[in-house]
Amino acid sequence: MQMTTRQIDRIIEMAWEDRTPFEAIEYQFDLKENDVREIMRSNLKRSSFELWRKRVKGRKTKHQKTSPANRFRSQNQKL
């Protein structure tokens, strides 16, 4: 699937947000967590990617099943 720069930017933005689970990215862009990881790896500097991975690894709010919060929906997400 060919993605626009705008879509990639939005995926990166959602991936950095603490309260946006990977499931929301999957719902909106049909991308699994591994796909998001590859986008982040190829579009961020190595140090930024490593910082992001360290930040989200094991973070409960990045996975809807383990998140104590209700589903967060950005205004930019499709319904």
Side-chain angles (χ1 to χ4, degrees):
M1 178 170 114
Q2 193 71 1
M3 302 190 93
T4 66
T5 303
R6 188 174 185 182
Q7 289 172 317
I8 292 171
D9 288 347
R10 181 63 186 135
I11 291 165
I12 292 170
E13 180 183 4
M14 290 174 76
W16 270 106
E17 293 170 347
D18 289 339
R19 301 193 83 198
T20 303
F22 286 112
E23 290 85 357
I25 298 171
E26 181 178 0
Y27 176 77
Q28 186 167 350
F29 294 100
D30 197 30
L31 297 171
K32 301 283 185 193
E33 181 179 351
N34 287 340
D35 299 324
V36 174
R37 194 176 305 137
E38 285 302 315
I39 288 171
M40 297 295 277
R41 185 187 322 267
S42 62
N43 288 280
L44 297 176
K45 292 186 292 186
R46 182 180 177 150
S47 60
S48 297
F49 172 75
E50 289 174 357
L51 179 66
W52 173 76
R53 281 299 297 150
K54 187 176 183 180
R55 179 183 167 121
V56 300
K57 190 173 184 176
R59 184 175 286 268
K60 289 184 178 188
T61 57
K62 290 308 281 183
H63 296 278
Q64 195 170 15
K65 288 183 205 172
T66 60
S67 177
N70 290 332
R71 187 175 191 289
F72 175 78
R73 185 184 301 263
S74 168
Q75 291 178 341
N76 294 328
Q77 287 177 298
K78 66 182 180 182
L79 298 175

